[in-house]
Amino acid sequence: MDMSQYLALFVSETREHLTAMGDLIVALEKSPSNTADVDSLFRSAHSVKGMAASMGYGDIADLAHALEDLMDRVRKGEFVFDGGVADLLLEGTDILQHAVVAVSGGGDGRCEIKDLCRRVADFTPGAAPSKPAPQPPPPAPPPEPAAGGTKPSGAAEPLQTVRVRTDILDRLVNVTGELVTCKNHLLSLCRDDFPEEVGGALTDLSRLLRSLHNDVMQVRMMPLATIVDRFPRLVRDLGRKQGKEIEFVIEGREIELDRSMLEELSDPLVHILRNAVDHGIESREVRLAAGKRYQGKIVLAARRERDQVVLSIQDDGKGMDPAALVATAVKKGLVAPEKAQKLTRQEAFLLTCLPGFSTAAAVTDISGRGVGMDAVSSSIKSLGGVLAIDSRQGAGSRIVLRLPISVAIIQVLLVAGGNMTIAVPVTSIIRTAEVRRREISSKGAHKVFSLDDQAIPILSLNRILGLPLAPVTGESLSVLVAEMKGRLVGLLVDRFIGQQEVFVKPLGRPLSRLRGISGGAILGEGQVVFLLDIPNLL
Amino acid sequence: MSERVSRLLIFRVHGVRYGLDLYDVSEVLETFTLYPIPRAPATLRGAVNSHGILIPVVDLGNYFGSGPLAEQGTLLVLDRGRANCALLVERVEAVVPFEEAIGEDVSTEPEFARLLKLADGPVRQLSFDGVVEGVERVLQSC
């Protein structure tokens, strides 16, 4: 019988079971008496065995069977679920993950299982492990969305969900984006003189398009859980390898992001967590000597703020010394000494994001191989996000990532600067203001104006972009207030044109290398505009 | 099934002849409107809207350091599967089969694939990746 038509379903469902098994194993290690988790783990192993057997993947079925047997022994009370059981099960799920990845690429599902099956069968509680602790889990597969956003494609609602290929979702958002561009074109054609009925139809079209856009984006949204659910396992394994005990907490797993954002976020988050385990959390002895709890703590928290998702990764480790960071950056020639003196505390922490910066005394195989926070920072920038770092020596570090929920169709403010029209994502703007000349004063080398009793320095956007400076003639100046490098600044523009919804087009190769722009868009009359990457403009 | 015939697209930049494998070019545009790109160096003359696709334009005159080309030139849109970029050239001169070359020299410069000797004179064939990587380096240094 030709089983190839069922391959995609097998791969997808087996991955779900293996991901669930990983979570359950880590959870059971903390709460071994949770019989519901024991049962769930047994059932998942049983399901994998059954599906693999029906597809003819003998090795996968045999290994899943061995894991199922081990869980059965736990279930019968033969022994308690401990670190030894967890190690064997995790090693098994790793092998199964690799085998399933191979199968999805056309492999025959054969894998080396004899040694592990023997060790599983011979397992005796309390005996020394016959192999070192397992390696960190294999890379997560790309998120697989289920239509309807957050709802898992489980058996609970079999008729209400459907699996959709991700390339179809990408095409859907592209077509919707082009429709938005078309609508803008129509609006520009009908700007001056048109029958009332046309105006009504255009209003309806705009409303329907907004609704279509919302629905399409909703379909693409996936919960953060899609990528973070494997992190407890990752932190556990990394901690064990370093002999560190770490409590890892995830908050806001249900927060949703566009699937393309999630795909790009996974690696940066892994790197930040690895840094926290490797360089942040101290050894048990050091922590106890410092009067801290022996167990370190890392919290990954997500929350929604307007059109942004804010992710923070906080550890209670040794923290960073801004003066030491500045000294290192100067020593390495990454920043000039005179500039270094003027850096704020937040800017000093951001020095860790410069290429080539590393203060780790020794290179470990967990992190610190040279590709560090600069890669993280670059990924976050490419997503239109902002990275901020705060730290206190002895108390720990906190890395905050602010990300747009979606990058496909967004609201921008069009501004005039020099000879061009420039688009600024509204999520980057804190406020717009028409500032009167008499409200502007000098503070040091800067012109400033007061906003909520705070002196905001004014910078010329034309000057930053190398555009001709317009003669200032009017009584008031158009300023947009935004955050750059942790500070509020007022960007002086020639004039505000207006707000518009645009479909963001990726820049591609080679333009993506140009700093300060994050994408392009086509306005109604075919005019090309570029989106400023405000936080990374300087 | 017919075999793909390899052909060389010959064009001029400030009078000098250059070539590109026709396979590297997806479209030739003779009428277009250039829109400015914020912060772009002189190498990037702007961007065009080609059938709803936003394509940045590299001025090969500025890229080779011989000064800007007139905006009334011709755009060679590069293979979109490998890059999103068009080259502004003075004009397209001819398309000839590679077999017409009577000799060739290897190029040591990364921007060029080779120097082809044709009956009517030499043509420096651009390297697709060499040029795109060169532009990336220019943009990165901005």
Side-chain angles (χ1 to χ4, degrees):
Chain A
M1 184 178 168
D2 176 19
M3 302 296 284
S4 58
Q5 58 182 317
Y6 304 113
L7 180 63
L9 191 62
F10 166 76
V11 169
S12 157
E13 292 197 349
T14 307
R15 276 178 173 167
E16 281 176 18
H17 280 296
L18 290 173
T19 304
M21 286 174 72
D23 295 344
L24 289 165
I25 294 163
V26 175
L28 273 168
E29 204 177 8
K30 286 181 187 164
S31 313
S33 56
N34 188 331
T35 52
D37 281 357
V38 171
D39 288 342
S40 296
L41 190 51
F42 178 85
R43 279 197 303 274
S44 282
H46 183 78
S47 298
V48 172
K49 179 186 76 174
M51 290 188 298
S54 65
M55 292 292 291
Y57 300 129
D59 287 348
I60 297 177
D62 288 348
L63 178 52
H65 185 93
L67 302 183
E68 182 190 351
D69 278 350
L70 185 62
M71 284 312 300
D72 196 35
R73 291 168 69 191
V74 174
R75 201 157 68 157
K76 287 174 179 165
E78 201 173 307
F79 46 78
V80 176
F81 192 104
D82 64 3
V85 178
D87 282 347
L88 284 172
L89 289 171
L90 288 172
E91 195 179 338
T93 53
D94 282 353
I95 293 175
L96 291 172
Q97 287 270 21
H98 283 296
V100 172
V101 169
V103 161
S104 68
D108 60 6
R110 286 188 197 167
C111 45
E112 179 46 57
I113 60 166
K114 277 186 189 161
D115 173 56
L116 180 60
C117 286
R118 180 188 54 75
R119 284 186 287 124
V120 168
D122 295 347
F123 177 75
T124 315
S130 50
K131 252 192 164 180
Q135 295 298 306
E144 288 181 57
T150 57
K151 289 179 183 171
S153 56
E157 296 175 89
L159 298 176
Q160 293 178 20
T161 62
V162 60
R163 287 176 189 278
V164 181
R165 288 207 323 270
T166 52
D167 61 324
I168 296 177
L169 292 182
D170 290 343
R171 285 212 300 273
L172 264 179
V173 79
N174 281 340
V175 170
T176 309
E178 295 300 351
L179 281 172
V180 170
T181 307
C182 264
K183 175 205 75 178
N184 290 340
H185 190 191
L186 275 176
L187 285 173
S188 70
L189 291 175
C190 302
R191 190 175 295 150
D192 300 323
D193 186 28
F194 56 89
E196 199 176 313
E197 297 79 14
V198 175
L202 279 173
T203 306
D204 287 346
L205 177 66
S206 296
R207 183 176 48 77
L208 288 168
L209 265 178
R210 197 162 297 121
S211 170
L212 174 68
H213 171 212
N214 286 339
D215 289 345
V216 167
M217 297 319 289
Q218 189 56 40
V219 170
R220 288 170 57 87
M221 297 296 257
M222 298 181 69
L224 194 63
T226 318
I227 57 168
V228 302
D229 276 359
R230 70 192 174 103
F231 291 166
R233 164 78 192 280
L234 177 88
V235 172
R236 169 209 182 264
D237 287 353
L238 293 173
R240 274 181 78 110
K241 209 167 183 181
Q242 298 237 327
K244 297 175 180 174
E245 290 184 54
I246 300 168
E247 180 192 356
F248 180 54
V249 178
I250 300 177
E251 295 167 359
R253 301 167 63 253
E254 72 287 353
I255 298 289
E256 291 184 323
L257 278 157
D258 189 283
R259 57 169 286 273
S260 61
M261 303 279 289
L262 281 175
E263 282 174 9
E264 298 296 324
L265 255 184
S266 181
D267 285 348
L269 287 177
V270 167
H271 200 92
I272 293 170
L273 287 173
R274 283 174 181 238
N275 273 345
V277 174
D278 192 20
H279 305 304
I281 303 292
E282 314 90 327
S283 66
R284 182 189 177 102
E285 297 73 29
V286 172
R287 290 183 67 86
L288 289 174
K292 290 182 173 179
R293 199 167 62 122
Y294 72 93
Q295 194 181 33
K297 187 172 185 179
I298 299 174
V299 180
L300 192 164
R303 66 174 193 277
R304 180 94 183 253
E305 273 186 19
R306 292 194 302 162
D307 288 343
Q308 291 185 322
V309 166
V310 181
L311 286 170
S312 72
I313 303 94
Q314 183 156 14
D315 68 66
D316 69 347
K318 62 186 174 199
M320 291 186 283
D321 174 9
L325 297 175
V326 171
T328 305
V330 171
K331 192 176 169 187
K332 293 192 170 189
L334 298 171
V335 61
E338 56 276 15
K339 195 177 171 190
Q341 288 175 347
K342 296 176 187 166
L343 293 176
T344 63
R345 193 177 158 79
Q346 266 65 34
E347 286 171 335
F349 293 131
L350 287 174
L351 290 172
T352 55
C353 297
L354 292 176
F357 188 97
S358 175
T359 55
V363 169
T364 73
D365 69 341
I366 292 182
S367 62
R369 282 196 184 278
V371 184
M373 287 300 291
D374 60 324
V376 171
S377 167
S378 156
S379 299
I380 300 305
K381 280 179 190 172
S382 71
L383 292 172
V386 184
L387 180 150
I389 304 174
D390 199 6
S391 186
R392 271 199 304 138
Q393 269 187 287
S397 301
R398 184 167 187 250
I399 294 179
V400 178
L401 313 176
R402 286 183 174 273
L403 298 151
I405 289 168
S406 163
V407 287
I409 300 170
I410 63 168
Q411 283 285 335
V412 296
L413 175 68
L414 296 173
V415 301
N419 56 346
M420 62 176 83
T421 301
I422 302 155
V424 183
V426 293
T427 50
S428 303
I429 302 171
I430 290 169
R431 189 185 288 192
T432 56
E434 294 290 338
V435 181
R436 295 184 179 190
R437 283 167 182 278
R438 64 169 183 271
E439 294 169 345
I440 296 171
S441 58
S442 293
K443 188 179 178 185
H446 289 292
K447 296 282 185 198
V448 299
F449 75 102
S450 180
L451 183 72
D452 300 335
D453 296 328
Q454 193 182 349
I456 309 288
I458 297 179
L459 304 177
S460 159
L461 184 63
N462 289 20
R463 197 184 295 277
I464 293 172
L465 299 179
L467 301 172
L469 300 175
V472 183
T473 50
E475 169 52 26
S476 60
L477 304 173
S478 302
V479 174
L480 63 89
V481 181
E483 191 175 309
M484 296 169 88
K485 296 199 166 185
R487 293 176 183 174
L488 287 187
V489 296
L491 287 172
L492 174 66
V493 301
D494 288 355
R495 67 187 164 89
F496 297 129
I497 297 172
Q499 228 182 83
Q500 192 169 336
E501 186 178 51
V502 295
F503 177 36
V504 182
K505 311 231 174 200
L507 301 171
R509 182 181 178 220
L511 194 54
S512 59
R513 296 297 177 103
L514 186 63
R515 197 163 55 93
I517 57 173
S518 58
I522 293 172
L523 302 184
E525 290 156 330
Q527 182 187 2
V528 173
V529 294
F530 288 89
L531 277 71
L532 285 190
D533 178 12
I534 293 275
N536 303 304
L537 205 51
L538 290 179
Chain B
M1 202 171 114
S2 64
E3 254 181 57
R4 184 174 75 89
V5 180
S6 296
R7 288 184 292 174
L8 179 72
L9 183 144
I10 301 172
F11 55 89
R12 285 189 185 261
V13 175
H14 289 310
V16 181
R17 295 211 305 172
Y18 297 93
L20 258 177
D21 188 330
L22 195 59
Y23 191 64
D24 291 336
V25 180
S26 67
E27 192 177 5
V28 176
L29 298 176
E30 295 197 314
T31 11
F32 51 87
T33 306
L34 275 175
Y35 296 96
I37 303 175
R39 268 217 162 142
T43 303
L44 273 189
R45 277 295 287 276
V48 292
N49 170 5
S50 172
H51 319 296
I53 299 165
L54 183 159
I55 303 173
V57 173
V58 174
D59 181 328
L60 274 188
N62 280 333
Y63 181 73
F64 290 136
S66 52
L69 290 168
E71 210 170 297
Q72 295 76 32
T74 300
L75 285 189
L76 310 179
V77 180
L78 298 183
D79 175 20
R80 296 210 64 244
R82 291 183 286 162
N84 182 38
C85 175
L87 305 179
L88 175 64
V89 304
E90 207 168 297
R91 64 185 165 88
V92 170
E93 191 169 278
V95 177
V96 299
F98 274 105
E99 293 86 72
E100 285 191 10
I102 50 179
E104 66 174 73
D105 286 330
V106 178
S107 171
T108 52
E109 296 167 81
E111 278 83 0
F112 299 103
R114 53 191 166 170
L115 178 70
L116 290 164
K117 293 171 187 166
L118 301 179
D120 57 352
V123 173
R124 301 177 88 185
Q125 185 193 337
L126 297 185
S127 153
F128 183 101
D129 287 324
V131 169
V132 175
E133 283 163 16
V135 175
E136 282 183 321
R137 279 194 297 275
V138 172
L139 296 182
Q140 225 159 356
S141 65
C142 288

